[in-house]
Amino acid sequence: MRKASPGSVRRAFQPWNDPAAQPLVEFRAVTKRFGGVTAVADVSLSLYPREFFALLGPSGCGKTTLMRMLAGFETPDEGQILLDGVDITAVPPHLRPVNMMFQSYALFPHLSVADNIGYGLKREGLPRAEIDRRVAEMLALVKLDGLGKRRPDQLSGGQRQRVALARALAKRPKLLLLDEPMAALDRKLREATQFELMDIQSELGTTFMVVTHDQDEAMTMADRMAVMDHGRLVQIAPPDVIYEAPVSRHVAEFVGDINILKGRVESVNGDLVSVTTPLAGRVELDEEAPALSPGAPVLVGLRPEKIALSHDEPAQAANKVRGEIWDIGYLGDMTMVQVMIGGDDGQLLKVSLTNRSRRIERPFAWEDTVWLSWDVEAGLVLKP
Amino acid sequence: MTRLGPGLILALVAGFAFLYLPILALIAYSFNASRLVTVWGGFSTHWYGTLLANEPLLSAAWLSLRLAFVSATLATALGTLAALALARQGRFRGRLLFTGMALAPLVMPEVITGLSLLLLFVAADVERGFWTVTIAHATFGLGFACIVVQARLVGFDRSLEEAARDLGATPLVTFWTVTLPLIAPAVAAAWLLAFTLSLDDLVIASFTTGPGATTLPMRLYSAVRLGVSPEINAACTILIGFVATVVIAASLLLKRRQALGA
């Protein structure tokens, strides 16, 4: 019998769509100000047990403040924070069943790895033998067996990150907060660690909340993510929904690359929307239940990977436009091409091509005149 | 590294001679066999022997050591707390005033510190003796201790304390298990500094002491007024050796924490 892959479990996991599901964490209209600056503005958010949640936003958007309020290091000016239905707004950090992995790791330099991991257990007053057993268990979990006697400064960056993770998980918290967990790792290690973190999370069943400015990290790991901007949660959804159906131009531009064409609605026929654009002519796209009326100004968003490029005019394409290649960026796995449409004063569109063959001579060259084409399922409508 | 020219080397030698020649002369003459301080009569450790039989000098030394121990401990405890308040509480009201008040004894002329404390003790009708000198030494040692510990706290990673809180430690437990172990070298250095300052002090002790509490510097000073004897040289040599050891220990402690780079 074939075992269910973690992916299928992941896909079935959607407690946020289940009205009977009890959230583990609830932010209720939480606001936090520092002096005259509002860091977190009227945020309401629910996290569910076993969820891997990512909070994504540029630096200074308030995501770290939101996390620190959950850990108890900041107190909201307004609103409440509930954990398992209990109001923890005024509970000090050491009494919260929440643990945090710090961006700097914050390992105690004067303690050994084992004493670092056992620090929280010792505070609970557990017997020595039990602490030793749990520490050994944690070291095995993060694959650092035998390194318990080392000092933090005798470890590599990746090992230190694992110790920080083990220390934060040792007390078996209901909720683990991770502040930019991969920021200090190099790219290869980061990818491997992301998948390991997901494995650990599904093995322990702990709820994870990751704060990051790295969209790849958020999209790879999270069941659901929130995009934050200027203290507000702009969109909360699974990563694919955020990418394919962003609620605003800001979200669309923050997560991934996107080309934006200005236009006006020409007609709406069921799900099919026609938009007249000055640069690309008539653009047709499929939009579920569009609330648009003819004549309304709209923006058409087009992700670079959803556009095809050809020398000859495509015979059957819902949307096509001619342009001239201005720039080609070879990235190894793919090539990013910038095409100018609408003449020299028009608009550059980004098109990404997957490099399927090893041929060194690319089919497209600078100053080639080319056709761009895309399906009705490619474009999305954004309110200006 | 630039090589020093002959002129610079001469200046260097002259500078060091200016600083240390008197001390070297004092040490050398402590081994003088002659009774006359200024006439060399051959090498002898005779005066170290008579020193051990000098009961008033020995009891003054013992008093000074006890006094330095207590006042340094007081100064370090208070100075560390002051440093924590100054480094941690951000811009609280009156911070500048508080900083100034904690550090004022550093720049205050000793005569003024001594005199004002004397006036205070007289006004409060406190019997002067061991404890009044101890309190006086603690007040000016506090400023030095505060500066040394504060320098250590500047580079302190606050997330270490937050991590401890996060893992279930109360603020007090966090201080004992994380903050204090990490600033311990600076605290120890502060203690050693306050200890030597107290051991050396003559002016403030003279103002604030009472009958029966004569410190070693006071005893030496009054002995010198009756004429310098090689015995005094011997006592000073021992004192110099002791203070130098403590100061070197303090600077090594501070170096070590830099090497740790925590």
Side-chain angles (χ1 to χ4, degrees), chain A residues 79-92:
Chain A
Q80 287 174 301
I81 301 171
L82 280 75
L83 185 75
D84 255 350
V86 181
D87 188 344
I88 57 160
T89 316
V91 176

Side-chain angles (χ1 to χ4, degrees), chain A residues 68 71 73 92-96 98-102 104-111 116 119-121 123-124 153 167-168 171 177, chain B residues 152 156-182 259-262:
Chain A
R68 288 174 59 83
F73 299 130
H94 62 276
L95 299 178
R96 297 189 182 199
V98 171
N99 286 125
M100 179 160 167
M101 190 181 133
F102 291 75
S104 64
Y105 307 149
L107 298 179
F108 306 128
H110 59 299
L111 299 181
N116 262 284
Y119 185 90
L121 303 172
R123 302 283 89 75
E124 277 178 12
D153 59 0
R167 187 179 69 178
K171 291 186 67 170
L177 308 173
Chain B
R152 173 69 173 136
F156 195 94
D157 181 5
R158 291 300 300 275
S159 64
L160 291 171
E161 287 167 55
E162 287 182 344
R165 293 296 309 283
D166 188 64
L167 292 165
T170 61
L172 199 63
V173 171
T174 301
F175 178 78
W176 284 111
T177 57
V178 175
T179 317
L180 196 58
L182 290 175
L260 271 172

Side-chain angles (χ1 to χ4, degrees), chain A residues 128-373:
Chain A
R128 189 74 239 175
E130 172 70 5
I131 294 178
D132 290 345
R133 199 185 60 72
R134 293 265 287 270
V135 167
E137 198 180 287
M138 282 298 142
L139 282 170
L141 181 75
V142 296
K143 305 192 178 80
L144 285 178
D145 312 70
L147 294 187
K149 288 202 169 64
R150 296 253 188 112
R151 298 239 163 202
D153 59 0
Q154 294 169 315
L155 300 177
S156 70
Q159 290 171 328
R160 252 177 264 169
Q161 193 236 24
R162 284 151 188 272
V163 175
L165 180 65
R167 187 179 69 178
L169 285 170
K171 291 186 67 170
R172 297 177 185 154
K174 289 179 181 171
L175 173 67
L176 182 72
L177 308 173
L178 301 104
D179 188 5
E180 304 274 3
M182 313 286 175
L185 303 181
D186 59 56
R187 203 177 141 203
K188 280 261 150 51
L189 192 57
R190 190 178 305 180
E191 269 173 27
T193 312
Q194 279 168 5
F195 288 108
E196 243 172 81
L197 205 57
M198 290 160 72
D199 288 346
I200 287 175
Q201 194 256 350
S202 51
E203 191 181 325
L204 299 180
T206 312
T207 307
F208 276 29
M209 176 165 155
V210 175
V211 157
T212 180
H213 68 278
D214 181 337
Q215 48 162 311
D216 293 338
E217 193 174 305
M219 294 183 79
T220 309
M221 297 192 293
D223 294 312
R224 218 163 40 124
M225 57 196 255
V227 179
M228 200 165 178
D229 184 45
H230 289 98
R232 292 182 184 279
L233 296 182
V234 193
Q235 187 171 10
I236 308 168
D240 50 349
V241 175
I242 299 250
Y243 186 77
E244 303 293 3
V247 291
S248 70
R249 177 176 186 167
H250 172 265
V251 175
E253 286 180 328
F254 186 70
V255 180
D257 253 334
I258 196 159
N259 300 298
I260 305 270
L261 291 168
K262 281 185 186 155
R264 270 178 198 284
V265 178
E266 187 184 290
S267 66
V268 180
N269 191 356
D271 285 351
L272 195 68
V273 182
S274 287
V275 179
T276 321
T277 63
L279 295 174
R282 175 124 107 359
V283 175
E284 291 193 327
L285 47 93
D286 212 13
E287 189 80 8
E288 212 173 306
L292 297 163
S293 46
V298 287
L299 301 174
V300 175
L302 265 176
R303 299 278 186 198
E305 75 281 3
K306 294 185 171 61
I307 305 177
L309 211 56
S310 57
H311 283 293
D312 303 322
E313 182 173 355
Q316 291 180 327
N319 302 291
K320 56 190 169 189
V321 61
R322 265 165 79 93
E324 189 189 340
I325 294 183
W326 275 43
D327 219 343
I328 300 177
Y330 176 71
L331 301 174
D333 55 342
M334 58 169 218
T335 301
M336 199 54 120
V337 183
Q338 305 241 36
V339 182
M340 179 62 87
I341 60 163
D344 283 0
D345 298 322
Q347 186 180 348
L348 279 175
L349 295 190
K350 283 183 188 170
V351 180
S352 68
L353 306 172
T354 307
N355 296 329
R356 288 178 204 279
S357 102
R358 290 181 54 231
R359 271 181 53 190
I360 298 298
E361 311 93 62
R362 300 287 145 203
F364 300 102
W366 275 263
E367 297 181 12
D368 277 5
T369 300
V370 289
W371 283 91
L372 292 84
S373 57

Side-chain angles (χ1 to χ4, degrees), chain B residues 93-109:
Chain B
R93 275 174 74 94
R95 183 177 191 273
L96 199 65
L97 182 71
F98 188 71
T99 312
M101 289 201 322
L103 305 185
L106 265 67
V107 289
M108 192 87 79

Side-chain angles (χ1 to χ4, degrees), chain B residues 23 30 33 42 45-46 64 75 84 100 157 167 172 180 183 245 250 253:
Chain B
I23 293 174
S30 74
T45 53
H46 168 76
S64 269
L84 281 166
D157 181 5
L167 292 165
L172 199 63
L180 196 58
I183 62 169
T245 310
L253 275 173

Side-chain angles (χ1 to χ4, degrees), chain B residues 71 75 102 105-106 113 117 133-144 204:
Chain B
S71 71
L106 265 67
T113 310
L117 282 163
V133 184
T134 303
I135 290 169
H137 281 181
T139 52
F140 82 87
L142 186 159
F144 289 94
I204 294 173

